[in-house]
Amino acid sequence: MTTSPTTSRRSFLTLAGLGALAAALPACSSVLPEPDTGAAGFGTSATGRVEVWCRAATQNGLTTLVDTFNASQDRLTVDLVPVPDAQYVTKLATAIRGRNVPDLVDIDDINSLLFVHRDAFTDLTPLIADLGFADQLSPGHLALATVDGRQYGVPYLADNSVLFCNTELFDRAGIDVDESTTDLDALLAAARRITALGDDVHGWTFPGNSSGALGFIVQPHIWAADTDLIRGEPGAQEGNVTGNDALARTLEFHRALWQDRLVPPGCYTDEAARWAADFHAGRIGMFPSSLDTVTTNASPELLAATTVRLLPGPDGGRAFFDGGDNMCIPRGAVNASGAWEFVRYALDLPQQSALPEGGYTPARADVATAEFAARNPLTLPPLQAQEEGYAPKTLSYNELYNQPDGPWLTMFRRAVFDGEIEGAMTQAQESFDRILGQART
């Protein structure tokens, strides 16, 4: 991916609609110095303290890691600082402007690109190449930290959207999981058969008033058809909404789920706070979600009856949202050498193998040994098909998909709950073009 010549790194955040963030970051002339990653002993002989910032949402994925690292040696001490997700980007930008950055950030991979384009992170390309297992790392995560062929972050944990199926309900409905999850028509037919079981059982569920969660679980249906709602490179992008057949059919699928009462009525107002409750109660046949959402508070009996498939497109194909965290070293880090030593420890197979205990999927495909598979079967599909993972490379993801008043949620609700699919797509095209156009100005 290349940076558009019409969008300088100095101006991209303002143009992308993140005015507050742009104001917090320094101009390019005051970019912090990059650590000398080629220095002798870098990443192997550091001492002192390493300050690591992590997202509060994925703190569970790092707490034990930090404890075991600190106990494994006495040269380095890692201090973990959780930051609320809603504050993370602004707080990091403020730290960069104040020239007082942490040594390492464990950042939402979808936000990696914001700081990479701002020249805020250290080039890790040669360090990643020297790991010896770079080809086993999640390509979707890496793509979000790569500009002009250089890599400024390394995947740590994956938080993927996949389809969790309750095999007991499938068996009661007399349908096969594999045959029922090949495309959207098959999913719809299965949802009808499962809902027909009665007793407040439904074939599907979704949080219909949660913009971010819907972006996480609905977009893969579109990506499985090898298309996206955005076209072009960051800084030179436009919407790909009207005329997008895969999008139209995905919205029609969700409209049918709602109209035919194949999802719980609470989906209309659900902001994801109650998202997993019905699945945990054994009343949902197919649950598009994440490993952490499914395993938290789930009974052993339910987990034993759960199997996983990747999300299909309208006519087949498979995809999943390649969410999770990248680890990046800010320019200006005081102990960058210690930070990289901790990164290497985090990427070692024993630590990667332990991630499912916290509800996350490893970022290394080669973790999937027979022993690991037997202990963690729900993590296997995305691990064994990493190439099907995807997340949009754009500087405007938050404005498009995460804001409650953004065009994504507005389009979904108008199409699904009001049945105005064509009008919703036309309106969304205009909004996508306006937001993405701000990054081209």
Side-chain angles (χ1 to χ4, degrees), residues 77 85-86 102 247 325 355:
T77 299
D85 286 48
L247 169 60
D325 292 0
L355 281 171

Side-chain angles (χ1 to χ4, degrees), residues 165 184 201 215 226 235 294 317 328 352:
C165 300
L184 296 188
V201 167
D226 295 324
V294 166
C328 307
Q352 286 284 301

Side-chain angles (χ1 to χ4, degrees), residues 1 20 40 65 90 114 135 137 197 219 228 243 245 281 290 292 309 322 343 350 356 359 375 381 425 439-440:
M1 176 170 293
L65 173 71
T90 301
L114 294 173
D135 60 340
L137 294 171
L197 294 173
Q219 287 189 93
D228 196 352
D245 180 66
S290 66
D292 178 51
R309 299 295 183 271
D322 219 338
V343 169
R375 288 187 289 111
M425 292 175 63
R440 298 197 306 270

Side-chain angles (χ1 to χ4, degrees), residues 153-323:
V154 63
Y156 166 54
L157 61 77
D159 187 21
N160 307 131
S161 60
V162 290
L163 185 62
F164 296 88
C165 300
N166 184 323
T167 59
E168 289 186 356
L169 294 180
F170 271 79
D171 290 344
R172 285 175 54 194
I175 52 178
D176 178 76
V177 171
D178 288 322
E179 293 175 357
S180 300
T181 58
T182 56
D183 55 37
L184 296 188
D185 287 342
L187 292 180
L188 193 59
R192 290 195 172 103
R193 291 280 293 271
I194 292 170
T195 304
L197 294 173
D199 297 325
D200 203 26
V201 167
H202 292 88
W204 197 272
T205 189
F206 56 79
N209 202 30
S210 175
S211 186
L214 287 172
F216 184 64
I217 64 172
V218 174
Q219 287 189 93
H221 295 300
I222 302 160
W223 302 334
D226 295 324
T227 189
D228 196 352
L229 277 72
I230 302 169
R231 62 163 61 99
E233 299 295 325
Q237 291 179 323
E238 61 184 6
N240 181 35
V241 180
T242 56
N244 188 325
D245 180 66
L247 169 60
R249 292 175 64 186
T250 297
L251 293 173
E252 290 167 358
F253 166 71
H254 286 83
R255 170 62 178 169
L257 290 172
W258 174 251
Q259 196 169 32
D260 295 349
R261 301 181 180 181
L262 308 179
V263 297
C267 288
Y268 183 83
T269 58
D270 189 5
E271 296 179 341
R274 305 181 304 277
W275 189 12
D278 289 325
F279 183 78
H280 287 156
R283 296 194 297 265
I284 298 296
M286 293 174 285
F287 183 43
S289 189
S290 66
L291 181 69
D292 178 51
T293 303
V294 166
T295 57
T296 301
N297 299 323
S299 69
E301 294 78 15
L302 176 66
L303 294 179
T306 299
T307 188
V308 177
R309 299 295 183 271
L310 302 186
L311 291 158
D315 296 313
R318 300 281 182 178
F320 60 90
F321 198 116
D322 219 338

Side-chain angles (χ1 to χ4, degrees), residues 9-10 26-31 118-119:
R9 287 185 171 94
R10 177 181 302 223
C28 284
S29 60
S30 58
V31 165
R118 194 63 177 178
D119 282 339

